Each structure stands twice: as structure tokens, then as C-alpha cells.
Amino acid sequence: MHYALHDEEYWSRERIYHVQRSRLQATLERAARSPFYAQRFASIGLHPQDIRDVADITRLPFTTKDDLRSAYPDRMLTMPRTRMVRLHASSGTTGAPTVIYYTDNDLNAWADLVARCMHMTGIRKDDVFQNIAGYGLFTGGLGFHYGAERLGCLTIPAGAGNTKRQLKLLEDFRVTAVHIIPSYALHLASSMEEMGFDPKRLALRIALIGAEPHTEAMRRRIESFFGVRAYNSYGLSEMNGPGVAFECPEQSGMHLWEDAYLAEIIHPVTGEPVPEGEVGELVLTTLTREGMPLVRYRTRDLTRFLPGDCPCGRPHRRIDRITGRSDDMIILKGVNIYPMQVENVLLNMPEVGENYLIVLEREGHLDQMRIKVEIKDEFFVEDMRVLKGLQQRIAARLRDEILITPRVDLVESNSLPKSEGKAVRVQDTRPKDDA
Ligand code: AMP
Ligand code: ZN
């Protein structure tokens, strides 16, 4: 089935508002059929019918990542699990991961949204699309894959990594559009420079970049090196994955698809809405999802609504580039990592002392994680082989947990700086602006 241009993209504010109201009601009624929301609504004496208007949404409780974990593995499903046809999970294996299920309709609606985003940037069925993103539980793989196929593009599921192979595919198949994580795009660029591979050998015209924070300068760099237009793509697995908000050809802010998601921006501490146009935490409610609707999900992503209308004429409001997180999540090479995951691994190893420090570094254009670990005196032996073995074991266990292999430095106990009060576990030395 191919993407037929729907008119949702250009719905008027009134139309969006009316649809939001009826979809919100339907969403709440569906949500109430899941064990999790049934209990949550009952505990505050709320009936879905009490919410008559979009503005009433503030009477509903937030849903958090911890709620998703507590509902693991399937207490948020509104129908039997046999009705689901796919699941994705966000990275991290400590305790319960967060799992999102999709029905057939949910997958269809998602592919349409991604196709809408891609179409908006100018990608058409004659384009050849290479998806340079991890396939698997990460939504950036299959999410873009099905969006591109729906548009009718010849779609190459290249996956992540392996620079030489990526280049071969890009060149041999005259690829015109890619989806790529911005840090990997820069890495690819510097590898090409080293290899003396002239970007003019490629037919690229559009790059979709997202999954991690990046600056305007980084975008411009990608654009000028590859000779493409690069569009910012925002999404999160809890809201399907990519396709939540996307830049249009104006490249000034990302249109958030308000027929599919109800967006609020709140103060991360008080939970109150921030004044229009101010930065706060993005909170999203799914409006069309049937298998696993989420109500007022706290994304922890910081952004703001951009004022005014977009010259492109699409009435869906725009959000600004994501400026950071209101929690301590680290995004490295597109993978989400919480310092607690690192801590759990380290503190379960008898050799490890009290203190550790996660250092985020940039080497060339690639982000790296270095972990300095204090080793207990009795294990800090002179034998280099023993220490090397320990170092490798720590790196391997961390890799299993956070899906990234960090560099591990073993240091003597009490050698890392002690902080008063809240421990500083993460030192981010990456340059803020990659210009
Ligand atoms: P995941 O659920 O693993 O796909 O991770 C989603 C998270 O990645 C979001 O909540 C954001 O923190 C981050 N993210 C995704 N897209 C972008 C983007 N375009 N800019 C900045 N951060 C992003
Ligand atoms: Zn626009």
C-alpha cells in the first residue's frame, strides 16, 4: 500500500482542534481498558467522559518512564496481546525496559506519519533511500524503513556502522536520500576526507538527521560537506518512534503533527504549563494509537513552541530544536544511557571501589564514553595482565548493559574528585558547538 497524500498536513487550526477533542476522548476510553490506566483513573475517581475538552487535559495525571517500567511487560495494553503485531523497546537493560506494542493499525498510522514527514522534505517515490540507522528494537530502523517504502522509495536497509560498505551502497545505487544520526554523518564525512573520497561521487540531495541533540552549526556542516539539505527529525519510541515532529523546507522549527499527538509544554518541576513560547518539558498524548495509548507522557525533552505561523502554510505548531533533557539521560551515538545503568554494573563487581566518573569525550567527530573506575586497594595489584583482564571484563559487562563499549581507566581508590552533596557522575567534555 502506498502513501496517498492526505490533507491532514494542511488542516486548519479549527479542524485540528475538533479532531483532537474527539480523538482525546476516544483515547481515554481506550486507555481505560488497560489494567494500568483503569487503576490509575479509578484511584483519582476519574471517568474518561469527565474530560470534555482539550483544555481539560490538565486534570489528568502524567505518565512517566517509571510508569512504563511498572506496567512491564504488558499492563498498558488495551486489548489482548495476541492483537499486537510488533514491539519495540528503548535501549537499556537494567530492570524492566520500556516496551511499546503496536497493532496493525498502529503500524499503518505510524508508517503514514513517517511518509508524511519524508514527503514534506521533498522525498518522492523516485528517490533511493538508504537508512543508515540501527535496525532492531531501536525505532529509527524499521520506523523509517516502512515510511520510505510507503512513499514508494527504493529502500536500502543499510543499518548502522561499516563506513566503507555504506559508501559503496551510496555510490553504487545512486542513493539520493538518507536517514543518518548527525554524529555518524560527521564521522562519515571525516572518513571520506581521509580516504580521499570526493562527496561529488554521490547523488545525495536530502539527509534526515535526528535521534540525538545537535546544533544548527552541525547541520550546516553536514549540508555543505555532502551537498544536501538536512532536516531535523524528532521522535521517541514511547510515541511510536520517528515521525512526531519534523522540519519542513523552511528549516525553522519542527512541525509537531497535532492530529496524532497532543502536545503540552510544562515546567519540569511544578508540572504547570509554561507561558506560551517559553522553554519547558514536552508532554505528549497519543491521539490515534489503539494498542497502547499513552496519556500525558513526560518526554523529559526540553523545547518550546515557536511563535507565529510557518511560511510553508502548515498550521501544525512548530517546536524548537531540543535543547536538553530534564533528567540525567545521556545520548551517545544515538543510544540512550542512564548513569544508573553504569553504576549498577560497576557496583556489582567486587573489585570496584566507591567512586567512578563517566566522561563523555569527542574524538574527531565521534562521541566516546570513558569510564574512570576506582579499584579497591587489594585488587590494585602490580601485575599488568591482571589489571588488563579486569579492565576488559568491566568494558564487556558495560557493553552488555548499555550497548556501547566504553573505554575503561582503572584508577586507585580515593583518586577521583569527591564532591560535596550530589555526586558528579558525568563530565561532558564534548564541545557544545561542532562548528
Ligand atoms: P528513543 O526512544 O530511544 O528513540 O530515544 C528518544 C529520545 O532521543 C528523545 O526523547 C530525545 O531525547 C532524543 N531525540 C530524538 N530525536 C531528537 C532530535 N531530533 N533532537 C534531539 N534529541 C532527539
Ligand atoms: Zn513549515
Side-chain angles (χ1 to χ4, degrees):
M1 187 180 32
H2 279 176
Y3 177 66
L5 258 190
H6 302 297
D7 59 355
E8 283 95 335
E9 225 171 308
Y10 290 97
W11 276 358
S12 67
R13 293 294 325 157
E14 294 71 41
R15 176 116 188 239
I16 290 174
Y17 173 76
H18 284 295
V19 168
Q20 284 192 329
R21 189 166 61 177
S22 60
R23 290 186 178 172
L24 176 62
Q25 266 159 3
T27 294
L28 295 175
E29 271 159 32
R30 267 199 304 265
R33 285 181 222 136
S34 74
F36 174 85
Y37 281 113
Q39 192 180 19
R40 166 107 358 143
F41 292 167
S43 72
I44 53 167
L46 183 112
H47 298 283
Q49 304 87 303
D50 299 343
I51 305 299
R52 300 191 169 279
D53 212 339
V54 172
D56 294 336
I57 193 160
T58 54
R59 292 170 51 194
L60 294 164
F62 293 117
T63 304
T64 63
K65 197 149 195 129
D66 279 341
D67 290 330
L68 281 169
R69 293 201 178 102
S70 76
Y72 181 85
D74 54 15
R75 292 184 64 252
M76 281 191 184
L77 294 192
T78 61
M79 31 180 123
R81 212 171 61 168
T82 49
R83 292 278 305 278
M84 307 297 143
V85 296
R86 168 120 46 97
L87 67 75
H88 280 283
S90 71
S91 33
T93 52
T94 296
T98 54
V99 182
I100 303 298
Y101 294 82
Y102 308 71
T103 64
D104 200 29
N105 284 338
D106 291 336
L107 287 182
N108 255 315
W110 181 24
D112 269 343
L113 274 179
V114 175
R116 187 198 293 182
C117 298
M118 294 176 72
H119 187 272
M120 174 168 70
T121 67
I123 299 177
R124 295 292 178 270
K125 71 179 219 7
D126 292 341
D127 278 293
V128 181
F129 179 74
Q130 185 160 322
N131 194 12
I132 309 181
Y135 275 66
L137 291 175
F138 173 57
T139 53
L142 292 177
F144 271 101
H145 185 93
Y146 285 103
E149 286 191 350
R150 178 134 310 173
L151 262 186
C153 299
L154 170 59
T155 304
I156 308 177
N162 198 340
T163 304
K164 289 218 173 86
R165 206 166 98 104
Q166 299 286 359
L167 282 173
K168 181 160 175 56
L169 295 169
L170 288 170
E171 185 174 32
D172 292 358
F173 298 104
R174 308 302 296 151
V175 171
T176 53
V178 288
H179 166 229
I180 187 166
I181 289 175
S183 55
Y184 188 67
L186 291 176
H187 173 68
L188 190 62
S190 57
S191 310
M192 285 164 70
E193 274 171 346
E194 273 166 33
M195 291 155 66
F197 190 113
D198 185 354
K200 292 206 181 69
R201 279 162 64 184
L202 304 180
L204 281 178
R205 59 184 202 94
I206 292 176
L208 312 177
I209 55 174
E212 65 185 9
H214 57 282
T215 57
E216 185 61 34
M218 219 156 149
R219 180 236 296 277
R220 295 295 168 215
R221 232 183 136 115
I222 293 169
E223 292 194 326
S224 71
F225 183 85
F226 290 98
V228 296
R229 295 267 277 163
Y231 297 95
N232 195 355
S233 150
Y234 172 78
L236 60 162
S237 32
E238 292 84 347
M239 294 290 131
N240 293 333
V244 175
F246 224 90
E247 275 181 343
C248 69
E250 298 292 329
Q251 293 183 313
S252 83
M254 297 178 278
H255 288 283
L256 193 145
W257 301 122
E258 296 183 89
D259 55 314
Y261 303 97
L262 186 61
E264 305 165 72
I265 295 190
I266 63 160
H267 189 286
V269 177
T270 65
E272 295 297 320
V274 297
E276 187 70 32
E278 281 185 22
V279 173
E281 180 183 326
L282 182 65
V283 170
L284 294 168
T285 299
T286 62
L287 290 176
T288 56
R289 209 153 65 185
E290 57 176 30
M292 187 174 163
L294 289 183
V295 178
R296 300 195 89 199
Y297 181 69
R298 291 193 61 163
T299 66
R300 300 289 173 185
D301 290 320
L302 301 176
T303 183
R304 64 186 178 119
F305 284 123
L306 293 176
D309 298 329
C310 186
C312 80
R314 292 177 182 84
H316 298 262
R317 278 182 297 174
R318 290 166 300 160
I319 54 168
D320 204 352
R321 201 174 270 293
I322 307 294
T323 56
R325 306 254 323 158
S326 67
D327 64 6
D328 58 357
M329 188 177 88
I330 299 164
I331 305 183
L332 200 85
K333 301 181 180 170
V335 177
N336 303 349
I337 301 159
Y338 286 94
M340 278 311 290
Q341 291 177 270
V342 172
E343 180 161 321
N344 277 337
V345 170
L346 293 179
L347 302 190
N348 274 316
M349 299 189 72
E351 298 90 344
V352 171
E354 271 165 44
N355 219 348
Y356 65 91
L357 183 67
I358 302 171
V359 186
L360 306 176
E361 314 172 315
R362 183 158 300 146
E363 215 181 80
H365 293 296
L366 269 196
D367 288 347
Q368 302 287 356
M369 178 183 279
R370 180 183 296 279
I371 300 187
K372 299 186 177 176
V373 188
E374 283 186 6
I375 298 302
K376 286 182 194 151
D377 290 339
E378 64 262 42
F379 293 103
F380 213 96
V381 288
E382 302 282 290
D383 190 338
M384 278 311 286
R385 273 174 316 174
V386 175
L387 287 181
K388 191 108 200 105
L390 176 60
Q391 204 174 20
Q392 284 166 351
R393 222 154 17 92
I394 295 177
R397 292 234 185 128
L398 283 167
R399 205 224 113 94
D400 287 345
E401 173 63 34
I402 60 177
L403 311 175
I404 275 188
T405 312
R407 305 222 166 118
V408 176
D409 293 348
L410 304 183
V411 300
E412 285 177 63
S413 54
N414 293 315
S415 64
L416 290 174
K418 288 240 183 330
S419 49
E420 284 158 29
K422 207 169 148 62
V424 180
R425 297 300 197 189
V426 183
Q427 211 175 60
D428 196 344
T429 68
R430 297 175 292 182
K432 281 278 166 285
D433 210 353
D434 208 80

